[in-house]
Amino acid sequence: MKDDTRFLIIGLGLLGGSYAQGLKKKGFHVSALDIDPDSIDYALKTGLIDQGAVGFDPQLVRQANAVIFGLYPHALLQWIEEHGDSFAPGTIITDVTGVKTGIVSTIQQRLGDRVEFIASHPMAGREVSGVRHADCSLFLPANFIITPTSRNSEAGIQFVRQLAELLQFRHIAVLSCQQHDEIIGFLSQLTHVIAVTLMNVREQPHLVDYTGDSFRDLTRIAKINDALWTELFLMNKQNLLREIDDFAAELAHFRQVLQQEDVQEMQRLFRQSTQRRKQFDK
């Protein structure tokens, strides 16, 4: 990656703002587009970006060598459909979208060979949204997944890898779009389903007065962006349905073990989960 690379971030939310902050700290020129005037104004005033515009600005798009999309999936597809011809030839483009199958192939087909779109997914986030919460330190403990296709070059893959290294992600992996969506269905989407379901099981006005760390930890991600996660769940529907079925079967097994007071099996399950969870502590 060249020192004079000019980045454009389209969609200046939590992740887009955190990308901007991290890249600015490394000395890069960063511009941004967003539909919210307040987000652009805040980013300019706080020095998160060098230039910004509300909506679409062809000049900012054309002057960028690298573009990072921080949009929701449907908004990303719509932006590409409407403005896909506006990039300068040779531009490297990536995203932060949590679902890849269908999206990546559609974008690559629309853009053709003038530019290179190589998809990626920063496995980072918080229970808040918006550029005012931008903080590039959230990348430090996080994983980063690159999802190339046969249309991507080694140079493009290396560029996105260097981007993740610049932002100091803990680990960088390369998966196919299909592998990504299968894994995300379990690691991310199912966990959000579980957290949401726990919060919806019962309502007690004073529940917060009795709860301990276990309930708080398990339901942390239940503070959820309903618009975004509805899109993600529906676009990865088959993978997520399969994960829900597998989880339901495992939960039914535990219920049977408890009902039958099968001490040995219950303890085996506890030991197995303990051993598997230790892998995350390394």
Side-chain angles (χ1 to χ4, degrees):
M1 184 181 298
K2 298 180 180 179
D3 293 339
D4 61 352
T5 299
R6 297 171 70 91
F7 286 91
L8 170 66
I9 296 172
I10 302 175
L12 202 58
L14 172 65
L15 285 177
S18 298
Y19 270 64
Q21 185 186 80
L23 291 168
K24 280 289 294 176
K25 285 185 176 181
K26 296 295 183 179
F28 289 97
H29 183 279
V30 180
S31 57
L33 300 176
D34 196 278
I35 60 174
D36 181 11
D38 290 337
S39 294
I40 294 296
D41 185 57
Y42 174 83
L44 287 169
K45 286 182 178 179
T46 57
L48 283 176
I49 59 175
D50 299 289
Q51 295 174 275
V54 178
F56 176 69
D57 186 316
Q59 183 175 352
L60 286 184
V61 176
R62 292 286 296 183
Q63 75 179 18
N65 310 112
V67 176
I68 300 163
F69 276 99
L71 300 177
Y72 292 3
H74 289 143
L76 168 57
L77 291 171
Q78 182 178 353
W79 199 101
I80 292 293
E81 180 61 31
E82 294 177 359
H83 306 298
D85 297 326
S86 59
F87 300 110
T91 302
I92 296 288
I93 305 165
T94 192
D95 67 330
V96 302
T97 313
V99 176
K100 300 304 183 187
T101 304
I103 293 178
V104 176
S105 59
T106 299
I107 292 174
Q108 289 182 333
Q109 184 175 3
R110 170 65 179 85
L111 294 177
D113 298 327
R114 291 179 58 257
V115 299
E116 183 168 0
F117 176 75
I118 175 163
S120 59
H121 184 190
M123 296 293 291
R126 287 182 177 158
E127 300 74 53
V128 291
S129 59
V131 68
R132 292 177 181 272
H133 298 285
D135 181 3
C136 61
S137 68
L138 63 87
F139 300 141
L140 298 177
N143 295 319
F144 187 92
I145 304 175
I146 306 172
T147 57
T149 72
S150 59
R151 301 187 66 154
N152 289 122
S153 66
E154 286 301 321
I157 296 172
Q158 184 61 24
F159 183 93
V160 177
R161 181 181 289 277
Q162 289 175 351
L163 173 64
E165 291 171 349
L166 277 173
L167 296 173
Q168 296 182 285
F169 280 86
R170 183 182 66 85
H171 178 73
I172 303 169
V174 178
L175 299 174
S176 70
C177 293
Q178 292 76 17
Q179 290 172 326
H180 169 275
D181 288 359
E182 289 173 2
I183 289 175
I184 292 304
F186 176 68
L187 291 177
S188 178
Q189 294 181 346
L190 177 63
T191 54
H192 281 78
V193 170
I194 293 169
V196 168
T197 304
L198 273 172
M199 291 307 306
N200 288 325
V201 167
R202 63 169 54 93
E203 180 182 9
Q204 288 187 358
H206 300 290
L207 194 64
V208 67
D209 297 327
Y210 319 133
T211 190
D213 289 343
S214 58
F215 191 84
R216 278 192 289 267
D217 290 345
L218 279 170
T219 58
R220 176 182 59 82
I221 55 176
K223 293 187 292 183
I224 195 168
N225 183 322
D226 58 303
L228 172 61
W229 284 93
T230 297
E231 283 193 31
L232 295 174
F233 282 7
L234 290 175
M235 297 184 83
N236 202 31
K237 176 182 174 181
Q238 294 307 316
N239 284 322
L240 182 53
L241 285 174
R242 184 177 62 253
E243 298 299 343
I244 291 173
D245 289 343
D246 289 347
F247 180 78
E250 188 66 24
L251 188 62
H253 173 62
F254 197 98
R255 185 187 190 283
Q256 183 181 43
V257 169
L258 177 62
Q259 185 176 38
Q260 296 175 351
E261 299 185 11
D262 187 342
V263 173
Q264 288 188 338
E265 175 61 5
M266 187 179 296
Q267 291 180 349
R268 186 194 70 80
L269 291 170
F270 290 157
R271 289 193 298 270
Q272 178 175 273
S273 70
T274 298
Q275 289 302 314
R276 291 180 177 179
R277 184 58 180 82
K278 284 180 178 179
Q279 299 299 314
F280 292 82
D281 300 328
K282 292 181 178 179

